[in-house]
Amino acid sequence: MASVQWRSRGRNYEAELQRCHPEGLPVEFGDYHPLKPIMVTDTKTRRGARKGSTSSSSSSSSSAPVDPLSSMLDGTDPLSMFAATETSAAASHSSSVGDLGRKRRVKEEEALGADFEPWSTKRGEILARFTTTEKLSINLCMGSDRGKAPNPGSSAVSEKVRTRLEELDDLEEGSHRELLNLSQQDYANRIEELNQSLKEAWSSDQKVKALKIVIQCSKLLSDTSVIQFYPSKFVLITDILDTFGRLVYDRIWTMCSDPRPLPDSFTVEDVNDTAKETFLEPKYVEADCPRTDSRFTSLPSGCRLRQSLPLQGESLNANVFDLLATFRQISGDSVQKQLHLQKVEVPAYLMLYSPAINWILQCVAYRAPEPLLTEMMERCKMMANNALLLNSIMRAFRPEFVATRATDFIGMIKDCDESGFPKHLLYGSLGRSLACADPPESERLTILNEAWKVITKVRNPQDYMNCAEIWVEFTCRHFAKREVNTVLADIIKHMTPDRAFEEAYPQLQSVIRKILTYFHDFSVLFSMERFLPFLDMFQKDSVRVEVCKSIMEVFIKHQLELTRDPVILNAMLHICKTMHDSVNALTLEDEKRSLALLIIGFIRMVSFGRDFEQQLSFCVEARATFCNLEPVLVQLIHTVNQLAMETRMVMKGNHSRKTAAFVRACAAYCFITIPSLSSIFSRLHLYLLSGQVALANQCLSQADAFLKAAVSVLPEVPRSISVEGKLRSSESFLLDFINNFLATLLVVPDHPEHGVLYLVRGLLNMVQDYTWEDNSDAKVRIYISALPLLAAMSQETYLYSIHKVDSNETLYGGDPKFLSEINKLCETLIGQILDHLKTLTRDESMRRQSALAFSLFGVLLAHGDLKNNKLSQLSINLWNLSHKHGHSETRVSIRTLESIRHQAQRPDMAHLSDTIQRLALQSRT
């Protein structure tokens, strides 16, 4: 190996660059465009044509390849045709029988627009609102109630119906089932079980059993023992009635559609006798159900008249007022006694009616003409004790209708008797409408003042907050920071005593969200005197962090311009510090990452313009504030490095004494901060990046310190690292870093006190001593990568340089001793590489030997002076070794030979002609 004598090939980078410029060729864009799809012409011969006939051919253009199987079958796959025939027949039968009623029902439901709130949404709200902790019971008596069914002997009822009623009476005579001490969830589960039993009975053609289940579930509506749960109970039980109604509807429609479907507009004459008899089944439910208590009679009859379509007209309109007419019963002895026993106040009892009234009024108001809505409003004015109806009108009528008459509604609210229904609830309903539609501009301040006079007098903190939360949106929507600040001050006044805010965090969070929806100018937002004190009410850590995150998300989204506003900076630093201080040993990595991204978003929006020193001071403060979030520290290092480069750009690379001191301060900031990072690759990359920035700013001693620190950290790199939760070998990451590091060393001048190429030698010594994985070629690959660097260092003019930084080309000026040191180091590296190649003789390692030999051959070809016979012979030996066992890539080898032939045509590379004659391709064995 000692006989290998390295000598770098002389390079003229400018000439090489000129030769590498691609030759321009004219392109006719009318015929060619790189994005234009390739057109394939397919000529198909129809298989199985009659003998003697001319084969039919068709041409089709497509950018996709032709499927040969499909083309042979001409698109007629016999299995697919058979399956399609079966499916078509089944689908035809299904649509003509079972699906007709379902399709019609879906068609009716689709007639509703997106502006109609469906029953499914109402259902969820009712179940969530009307809850109880008391124990519930289900009493199912499956015995018959003879005498309540219609007279089977009536001429209007057929013999078949008479038989059906007798079966109903005889079914499970005398059976009794009672479930006691049920929680609310248990009760809902049992009702759902009954619903499933109904479906199963119907599908198994046990229609009488299904009817009996419906009747017994209907009887449960007469139980008012837990009155505050009744609306939810009603919803659960009527789910069963809905199921039964849909099943009967589909069945009747199917019968009506036999033998031909009914038209969209049909009359009773179009319905056959079988369907008319089936129609009586729902009537059995009404006949067999006991009458519920009179005060609840209107609730089931009015609440769910029809879910799928909103009902309008006098019948539904009258239903509302029939329901309200029952109010006079509230003062009766029976109602008052039951309310007293269950300890239910009259206002709370009245709220039990609201789901029914709200649903009916929504149906009335949906796309109703204004005269009808105005009539409803006038009739409400004329009714005594109309607060409940007024509340539902404001909730159900179109917000635009309410908003334009907001002053009239306020007058109606003032006239209401507050003893039965609190006025703050009425103002809450009015506020919901005004949050969706705008009242006349001239009335807005009056409306807000009238509403807040009532809201601020509410003593109960929860009731106050529920109402204030609604009106915050109206205030933010139509007024400036002065009015919003006043509202916030009032909320703080009401919620601070006895720490009432602890029970109202959801409402307080809603207030923040509404303010952030309308205030995107954070200089205005943070100038509100009461905004930060309002944030101080969020004492619970998790809630406080969520609020801060919501503020940060809006800031990052809407703060489009960089800022140096001290009001914004101080407030945002406070908010970010709150998020940072919430991090502890138990915080999940995802949460840390989320918080860090928000804080980084804030840091990126801070700019002091040309006041670079102030920007650096901000970064120093931020480093102390956010020391526990590593991604934030990484961002701060990047920010300071960018600051140094902006300074260089402003000074156009010619630093004054002041700016030179400043960029050195930036380097010191990075040098102090990087060691605090736990991620070793973050440290390595930032040491290298900061060293490059220091070099660009002519801070040679600082750059030297960064690069030496990077070399000193390399031995600490573990053999495996965690990437996205999985352990992976660190070799590929380490090789990428070292290659980048080697590229930087070309422009780094040697330190006068540390000898020639001391950084290169230090790096290679680290590579030599590092504990690599078994059977790893990483060390040798680094040696091969170092050879191009050393060859570039021996050139008279370097490939690249840094303005006002004297690299080794200037310091040594082609000194023979310097070149001799480079050549000796290259010979040492080549010797190490060849020694390693000799160890790769086993069958399983021959592929690695081939790859390494070819890589070294490429380096010798590109950077070595092959006029030297020994170096030329070494390159030929490496070529032969790489092809010896057939593991080389033939295509790459051919292209390499073509490149050598092309180079050999140049006068200064004519010696390659002899070399190429000795390079042969060997076929794989």
Side-chain angles (χ1 to χ4, degrees):
M1 295 302 104
S3 61
V4 176
Q5 295 180 358
W6 174 268
R7 183 179 175 185
S8 300
R9 178 167 68 89
R11 307 287 293 273
N12 185 336
Y13 294 119
E14 288 291 336
E16 290 182 25
L17 182 61
Q18 291 298 323
R19 285 195 297 270
C20 289
H21 279 168
E23 182 181 355
L25 294 176
V27 176
E28 295 183 8
F29 290 103
D31 299 330
Y32 166 78
H33 190 279
L35 300 181
K36 186 177 181 180
I38 299 173
M39 307 302 289
V40 178
T41 301
D42 171 35
T43 303
K44 298 187 295 184
T45 302
R46 191 176 302 278
R47 189 176 182 182
R50 292 192 307 273
K51 185 176 180 181
S53 64
T54 304
S55 44
S56 100
S57 64
S58 62
S59 297
S60 62
S61 297
S62 172
S63 59
V66 179
D67 179 4
L69 298 180
S70 298
S71 62
M72 290 299 291
L73 291 169
D74 197 26
T76 56
D77 177 3
L79 295 179
S80 300
M81 290 177 63
F82 177 76
T85 303
E86 292 294 319
T87 304
S88 176
S92 176
H93 177 73
S94 175
S95 67
S96 63
V97 181
D99 287 346
L100 287 174
R102 190 176 301 107
K103 289 181 178 179
R104 179 176 178 84
R105 190 171 65 250
V106 171
K107 183 178 179 181
E108 291 174 347
E109 292 173 355
E110 289 176 348
L112 297 175
D115 54 341
F116 183 80
E117 185 178 12
W119 174 255
S120 57
T121 304
K122 293 279 189 185
R123 178 186 184 278
E125 293 175 355
I126 294 171
L127 292 176
R129 179 180 175 189
F130 297 95
T131 60
T132 184
T133 56
E134 296 187 34
K135 295 300 180 181
L136 305 168
S137 63
I138 296 178
N139 190 343
L140 296 176
C141 181
M142 299 301 288
S144 64
D145 293 319
R146 297 184 186 275
K148 292 185 179 181
N151 180 11
S154 172
S155 58
V157 183
S158 68
E159 183 65 28
K160 181 178 179 180
V161 175
R162 184 182 297 108
T163 303
R164 187 76 56 83
L165 289 173
E166 290 173 356
E167 291 176 358
L168 188 62
D169 284 340
D170 294 338
L171 179 68
E172 300 182 22
E173 182 72 36
S175 65
H176 185 274
R177 184 183 181 193
E178 186 173 15
L179 301 175
L180 304 174
N181 297 322
L182 299 176
S183 67
Q184 179 177 327
Q185 187 59 50
D186 292 336
Y187 188 93
N189 293 339
R190 295 297 181 272
I191 295 298
E192 178 57 28
E193 289 174 6
L194 288 171
N195 200 0
Q196 293 301 320
S197 298
L198 167 63
K199 295 176 183 178
E200 292 169 4
W202 189 271
S203 63
S204 60
D205 205 29
Q206 300 181 52
K207 302 295 190 298
V208 177
K209 180 180 178 181
L211 190 56
K212 198 72 174 180
I213 292 173
V214 175
I215 292 172
Q216 294 305 318
C217 289
S218 300
K219 292 179 180 180
L220 296 176
L221 291 173
S222 63
D223 178 15
T224 60
S225 56
V226 184
I227 200 167
Q228 66 270 27
F229 179 66
Y230 193 86
S232 291
K233 177 180 182 178
F234 179 82
V235 166
L236 293 171
I237 292 174
T238 51
D239 282 345
I240 295 179
L241 301 182
D242 273 349
T243 300
F244 180 68
R246 284 193 295 269
L247 294 172
V248 173
Y249 180 87
D250 291 344
R251 186 180 180 206
I252 294 174
W253 185 261
T254 301
M255 291 178 175
C256 290
S257 301
D258 186 18
R260 51 186 172 76
L262 282 176
D264 289 340
S265 300
F266 62 90
T267 62
V268 68
E269 287 77 14
D270 297 320
V271 181
N272 56 41
D273 293 339
T274 305
K276 291 177 182 178
E277 291 176 359
T278 305
F279 178 71
L280 292 175
E281 288 183 1
K283 296 298 182 181
Y284 305 155
V285 179
E286 295 183 13
D288 211 21
C289 279
R291 294 290 292 174
T292 58
D293 194 300
S294 60
R295 63 186 175 280
F296 290 107
T297 301
S298 295
L299 184 61
S301 65
C303 184
R304 297 283 294 282
L305 289 174
R306 185 70 179 280
Q307 295 175 14
S308 61
L309 288 176
L311 301 180
Q312 299 177 5
E314 289 300 323
S315 60
L316 186 53
N317 196 341
N319 202 297
V320 180
F321 293 101
D322 289 344
L323 176 57
L324 295 172
T326 63
F327 281 1
R328 61 178 178 270
Q329 301 177 25
I330 295 175
S331 58
D333 292 340
S334 61
V335 176
Q336 292 296 324
K337 181 178 179 181
Q338 188 166 7
L339 295 181
H340 177 73
L341 289 174
Q342 298 196 34
K343 299 179 181 179
V344 176
E345 299 293 334
V346 171
Y349 174 68
L350 287 177
M351 291 305 295
L352 301 179
Y353 285 84
S354 60
I357 302 176
N358 290 347
W359 175 252
I360 296 172
L361 284 175
Q362 178 180 321
C363 295
V364 171
Y366 182 66
R367 295 181 180 173
E370 278 206 11
L372 178 59
L373 301 184
T374 305
E375 178 193 350
M376 290 285 294
M377 183 177 172
E378 294 301 322
R379 292 183 67 176
C380 180
K381 288 181 181 179
M382 294 185 293
M383 289 190 62
N385 195 13
N386 63 348
L388 181 61
L389 177 59
L390 178 59
N391 184 67
S392 294
I393 283 177
M394 291 188 291
R395 296 287 292 271
F397 282 17
R398 290 189 293 273
E400 295 78 10
F401 180 89
V402 177
T404 55
R405 297 162 179 79
T407 304
D408 294 338
F409 277 105
I410 287 177
M412 295 170 66
I413 292 173
K414 289 181 178 179
D415 295 338
C416 287
D417 180 10
E418 192 168 10
S419 61
F421 200 93
K423 288 186 178 179
H424 70 269
L425 296 179
L426 297 174
Y427 277 106
S429 297
L430 177 61
R432 286 189 180 90
S433 293
L434 299 184
C436 302
D438 300 334
E441 186 173 356
S442 60
E443 300 176 8
R444 292 172 186 173
L445 184 59
T446 303
I447 292 170
L448 178 61
N449 288 333
E450 291 293 337
W452 210 262
K453 285 178 186 177
V454 176
I455 297 171
T456 193
K457 293 178 182 177
V458 178
R459 295 183 177 275
N460 183 285
Q462 196 64 41
D463 291 341
Y464 168 84
M465 200 61 235
N466 288 337
C467 196
E469 171 203 352
I470 297 169
W471 280 87
V472 163
E473 182 161 7
F474 176 79
T475 309
C476 295
R477 187 182 178 100
H478 299 297
F479 298 96
K481 72 171 187 177
R482 175 175 171 271
E483 290 77 10
V484 176
N485 192 63
T486 302
V487 169
L488 293 180
D490 195 62
I491 294 175
I492 294 172
K493 176 183 175 182
H494 278 78
M495 303 307 293
T496 301
D498 301 323
R499 299 178 68 86
F501 54 77
E502 292 182 343
E503 303 299 325
Y505 284 141
Q507 292 88 342
L508 294 172
Q509 285 180 274
S510 177
V511 169
I512 290 292
R513 284 194 296 270
K514 290 172 180 177
I515 292 175
L516 293 174
T517 300
Y518 293 96
F519 284 83
H520 297 157
D521 186 341
F522 282 81
S523 60
V524 173
L525 182 64
F526 291 133
S527 64
M528 293 184 196
E529 295 179 3
R530 311 311 298 172
F531 185 77
L532 291 180
F534 184 88
L535 294 182
D536 291 338
M537 287 196 294
F538 295 99
Q539 299 288 314
K540 188 177 179 180
D541 289 344
S542 60
V543 178
R544 183 168 66 247
V545 171
E546 285 301 317
V547 170
C548 291
K549 287 172 67 176
S550 65
I551 295 173
M552 290 302 305
E553 287 167 358
V554 175
F555 176 82
I556 293 171
K557 181 178 180 180
H558 294 284
Q559 184 69 29
L560 302 179
E561 297 180 356
L562 302 178
T563 182
R564 61 184 297 174
D565 189 327
V567 174
I568 295 178
L569 297 187
N570 290 333
M572 295 305 291
L573 277 172
H574 171 72
I575 291 170
C576 290
K577 185 177 188 303
T578 299
M579 295 192 301
H580 169 271
D581 293 348
S582 69
V583 175
N584 54 45
L586 300 179
T587 305
L588 298 176
E589 288 301 319
D590 285 345
E591 178 67 10
K592 289 182 182 179
R593 191 179 301 110
S594 174
L595 296 176
L597 287 175
L598 292 173
I599 296 174
I600 289 171
F602 160 63
I603 291 172
R604 288 175 174 170
M605 296 306 299
V606 177
S607 174
F608 290 87
R610 290 291 183 91
D611 192 349
F612 293 157
E613 292 181 348
Q614 185 65 31
Q615 186 86 28
L616 182 59
S617 298
F618 169 79
C619 291
V620 171
E621 181 183 357
R623 180 179 61 187
T625 305
F626 309 125
C627 56
N628 291 330
L629 289 174
E630 188 161 306
V632 178
L633 296 180
V634 171
Q635 176 60 40
L636 288 171
I637 294 170
H638 284 305
T639 300
V640 172
N641 278 327
Q642 182 181 358
L643 193 59
M645 295 305 293
E646 287 178 0
T647 305
R648 179 181 184 273
M649 183 176 65
V650 169
M651 300 302 295
K652 298 181 180 178
N654 300 309
H655 284 297
S656 65
R657 180 177 299 179
K658 181 178 180 181
T659 60
F662 176 76
V663 294
R664 287 196 295 269
C666 291
Y669 177 98
C670 297
F671 194 78
I672 293 171
T673 309
I674 292 173
S676 64
L677 304 178
S678 61
S679 170
I680 190 163
F681 278 102
S682 292
R683 277 185 279 156
L684 285 172
H685 288 301
L686 288 171
Y687 272 134
L688 179 57
L689 177 65
S690 301
Q692 293 167 345
V693 171
L695 268 180
N697 284 282
Q698 304 131 45
C699 301
L700 299 184
S701 60
Q702 285 79 9
D704 199 62
F706 280 118
L707 298 178
K708 284 198 297 185
V711 173
S712 67
V713 168
L714 283 172
E716 302 175 18
V717 175
R719 293 173 63 174
S720 60
I721 57 174
S722 177
V723 179
E724 297 180 354
K726 297 180 180 179
L727 281 180
R728 289 181 54 185
S729 171
S730 62
E731 272 193 7
S732 60
F733 299 96
L734 188 55
L735 287 173
D736 288 342
F737 170 77
I738 291 176
N739 286 332
N740 194 356
F741 193 90
L742 289 170
T744 303
L745 291 182
L746 177 63
V747 294
V748 179
D750 282 339
H751 196 285
E753 298 178 2
H754 294 100
V756 178
L757 303 177
Y758 83 101
L759 279 175
V760 177
R761 295 179 187 276
L763 176 63
L764 294 176
N765 289 335
M766 186 285 305
V767 171
Q768 177 71 30
D769 297 337
Y770 185 78
T771 305
W772 300 96
E773 294 183 13
D774 298 336
N775 300 318
S776 170
D777 300 323
K779 179 170 67 173
V780 175
R781 290 190 178 280
I782 293 172
Y783 289 164
I784 294 174
S785 298
L787 291 174
L789 167 68
L790 294 170
M793 283 183 166
S794 65
Q795 304 300 317
E796 293 183 2
T797 303
Y798 282 2
L799 179 60
Y800 46 86
S801 60
I802 296 177
H803 177 62
K804 299 197 74 173
V805 173
D806 292 333
S807 301
N808 286 339
E809 60 175 334
T810 304
L811 294 181
Y812 295 108
D815 189 303
K817 291 183 179 180
F818 175 66
L819 297 178
S820 176
E821 288 292 330
I822 291 177
N823 292 338
K824 287 180 182 179
L825 188 53
C826 289
E827 292 167 6
T828 302
L829 292 178
I830 292 175
Q832 295 277 355
I833 297 168
L834 295 178
D835 288 342
H836 181 73
L837 289 176
K838 290 179 180 179
T839 65
L840 303 177
T841 56
R842 296 182 180 180
D843 292 342
E844 62 271 13
S845 59
M846 286 181 178
R847 184 177 295 276
R848 292 162 50 202
Q849 183 190 62
S850 174
L852 291 174
F854 194 80
S855 294
L856 182 55
F857 168 80
V859 170
L860 295 182
L861 180 65
H863 303 283
D865 185 1
L866 297 188
K867 294 177 183 178
N868 182 304
N869 291 334
K870 290 186 178 180
L871 205 58
S872 176
Q873 183 60 48
L874 176 61
S875 66
I876 294 170
N877 293 341
L878 289 169
W879 173 272
N880 293 333
L881 180 62
S882 66
H883 290 74
K884 182 177 181 179
H885 301 289
H887 294 301
S888 61
E889 290 288 339
T890 304
R891 183 180 302 176
V892 176
S893 299
I894 293 174
R895 293 181 64 181
T896 302
L897 290 176
E898 291 175 352
S899 175
I900 297 173
R901 289 192 184 96
H902 181 72
Q903 292 184 56
Q905 296 174 6
R906 289 162 38 200
D908 59 327
M909 302 292 286
H911 60 278
L912 292 180
S913 300
D914 295 334
T915 302
I916 199 169
Q917 297 298 325
R918 303 169 64 185
L919 301 179
L921 286 175
Q922 297 182 12
S923 60
R924 298 186 181 185
T925 57

